[in-house]
Amino acid sequence: MSHIQIERSHNKPHDEARKLAEHVAQEMADEFGFSYRWEGDVLHFDRTGVEGKLGVSSDKVHITAKLSSLLLALKPRNESEIHKFLDENLGRT
C-alpha cells in the first residue's frame, strides 16, 4: 500500500475552501466512481483501491490517501493532478 500526503496553505474563506473540496469530490465521483461523505470539515472518499481524506481548515487543506498496490504505478500522476488542482484553485505556496 502506498500513501499520498499533501498539505497546502490557502487564504480563501473557510466556506469557499470547503466548496472547492466538494467540487473536487463531485468530479472524482463523476469521473472515477468515488463515493464520499463529510464528517465535520473532513471529506472522506473511497473506491476500490483508494481511500482517503481531505481536511479543510481556516488556512490549510490536508489530503491523505492510501493506494492499493494495483494503483501504485499511478501515484506520481495522482499527486501531480492534486497539485495542479490546488495550484489552480488555491494558488501556489
Side-chain angles (χ1 to χ4, degrees):
M1 185 125 348
S2 182
H3 298 280
I4 293 174
Q5 287 200 13
I6 298 172
E7 186 171 281
R8 181 70 65 94
S9 297
H10 70 81
N11 61 0
K12 304 280 186 199
H14 185 262
D15 288 346
E16 186 176 338
R18 191 175 156 107
K19 284 178 187 175
L20 286 169
E22 179 75 26
H23 175 72
V24 170
Q26 188 59 56
E27 283 189 359
M28 291 188 325
D30 293 345
E31 189 168 341
F32 302 111
F34 277 84
S35 61
Y36 67 93
R37 71 188 185 291
W38 283 99
E39 289 182 14
D41 284 335
V42 179
L43 186 143
H44 298 261
F45 57 90
D46 61 74
R47 67 163 279 217
T48 303
V50 180
E51 66 178 55
K53 299 175 187 177
L54 192 163
V56 179
S57 71
S58 61
D59 64 345
K60 292 183 183 183
V61 293
H62 187 201
I63 301 165
T64 59
K66 289 189 252 181
L67 306 175
S68 72
S69 57
L70 295 174
L71 297 177
L72 183 59
L74 298 176
K75 180 180 177 183
R77 180 175 172 246
N78 290 334
E79 287 178 320
S80 177
E81 288 297 317
I82 292 167
H83 282 292
K84 180 181 173 186
F85 178 85
L86 293 174
D87 287 348
E88 291 171 354
N89 291 281
L90 298 178
R92 291 179 183 250
T93 57

